[in-house]
Amino acid sequence: MITFEYPLNERIRTLLRLEDLFARIAHTLRGDSPIDHHATLIALFDMLEVASRSEFKVDLLQELERQRQSLLAFRDNPDISEEALSGALYEIEQATAGLLSVSGKIGHYLRENDWLMGIRSRAAIPGGACQFDLPAYYHWQNREADARRRDLEAWIRPMLPIRDGLTIVLRLLRASGRPDMQTACRGNYQLTMGGRPIQMVRVRVPLTAQAVPEISANKYVLNVRFMRPDTVSRPRQCENDIEFELTLCNL
């Protein structure tokens, strides 16, 4: 199965983008080649751009607090494991404390590093990070892999409270929905939402179905149109019925 996620508000959209960037960083940081670590640095610059909005940290703290209050409502519920509930609340408290410890604007220490900002500005130009454009960066890339990795870890470490916070929010959000099997007749599916407050839609499709969902949604209606994947010509809508799993997530 392949899972497609569609956020219905800007806050969740931002968290999903950052989750993807943290995953890229975790993967490329493990590599030893200069190309791996260049990719790590580019992902860090992208993360800086996404998370640098002045209200982002406040938004994430508010989301954590909202979910903490939701979980507190389950206290003394015999159907809920007290141990699991306490563990989730502890995670939220730790993530909140980590975010509160981040002083100033997120990533300000990166913006104050002239060497990094020089690389960032040149990397925005196609092919602009060549050795003749950035000889000091080229020298850094030729250092031992462990030395480069230590530098990268130092630049990434202050961003980790963001990762911890968004991981909790997205995990609870994904677990909040109940998956239901649906059928898209001739590749089309529509659901009346009735004003329900949904934060994210998840669509799971068998990889063998050779179908890619195009999703559009608001609080009134959800539309899913399945297209045939094509890397050469323009994608065409599926003409057969598509069985898929639909999950509406909200906390």
Side-chain angles (χ1 to χ4, degrees):
M1 300 287 282
I2 179 170
T3 303
F4 298 87
E5 295 182 328
Y6 185 81
L8 270 67
N9 61 53
E10 188 61 31
R11 182 177 295 183
I12 302 304
R13 187 175 293 113
T14 299
L15 295 185
L16 288 173
R17 285 179 174 145
L18 287 170
E19 180 188 51
D20 180 70
L21 289 168
F22 273 114
R24 290 189 208 179
I25 284 174
H27 177 78
T28 57
L29 188 60
R30 290 194 295 267
D32 289 334
S33 77
I35 293 175
D36 288 324
H37 293 166
H38 175 71
T40 304
L41 204 52
I42 295 302
L44 181 60
F45 292 152
D46 287 346
M47 187 184 299
L48 179 63
E49 192 67 32
V50 174
S52 62
R53 293 185 300 110
S54 59
E55 70 274 14
F56 171 75
K57 185 169 73 173
V58 174
D59 285 349
L60 186 51
L61 284 167
Q62 288 177 345
E63 192 66 32
L64 285 167
E65 176 59 22
R66 195 169 69 84
Q67 298 203 21
R68 189 181 77 87
Q69 293 297 332
S70 297
L71 290 175
L72 284 173
F74 291 105
R75 275 270 165 85
D76 302 321
N77 188 324
D79 297 327
I80 302 297
S81 166
E82 190 67 27
E83 183 179 354
L85 183 61
S86 297
L89 288 169
Y90 177 76
E91 280 188 285
I92 290 175
E93 289 168 4
Q94 290 295 105
T96 299
L99 282 168
L100 289 173
S101 71
V102 178
S103 59
K105 192 174 182 180
I106 289 175
H108 66 90
Y109 65 98
L110 296 174
R111 296 182 185 278
E112 293 169 0
N113 186 318
D114 292 339
W115 187 77
L116 284 175
M117 290 302 98
I119 298 168
R120 183 190 183 196
S121 63
R122 293 301 307 179
I125 301 170
C130 283
Q131 55 90 10
F132 58 85
D133 286 308
L134 295 168
Y137 180 47
Y138 182 64
H139 178 271
W140 179 83
Q141 288 179 307
N142 278 275
R143 296 176 66 195
E144 292 184 356
D146 286 341
R148 294 195 309 268
R149 192 176 291 110
R150 283 194 297 271
D151 286 341
L152 289 166
E153 288 172 346
W155 297 326
I156 294 165
R157 194 173 299 115
M159 307 286 275
L160 294 184
I162 297 172
R163 180 202 62 187
D164 297 341
L166 71 87
T167 297
I168 293 169
V169 171
L170 291 177
R171 186 180 71 230
L172 293 175
L173 180 61
R174 287 171 176 134
S176 69
R178 186 185 66 186
D180 290 313
M181 291 304 300
Q182 304 291 346
T183 302
C185 298
R186 296 181 62 84
N188 265 320
Y189 176 82
Q190 187 176 89
L191 175 67
T192 301
M193 304 289 277
R196 282 181 289 174
I198 303 299
Q199 292 178 287
M200 184 169 68
V201 174
R202 305 185 83 214
V203 171
R204 297 186 76 219
V205 190
L207 194 57
T208 54
Q210 290 294 301
V212 177
E214 290 187 352
I215 305 169
S216 61
N218 54 43
K219 63 182 179 180
Y220 302 110
V221 65
L222 164 69
N223 287 294
V224 183
R225 185 173 63 155
F226 286 94
M227 309 295 289
R228 290 288 178 212
D230 198 318
T231 58
V232 178
S233 59
R234 188 173 182 176
R236 294 177 293 104
Q237 184 171 323
C238 297
E239 296 180 355
N240 58 305
D241 294 351
I242 303 293
E243 299 287 332
F244 69 100
E245 188 180 275
L246 175 67
T247 307
L248 304 178
C249 303
N250 188 68
L251 281 175

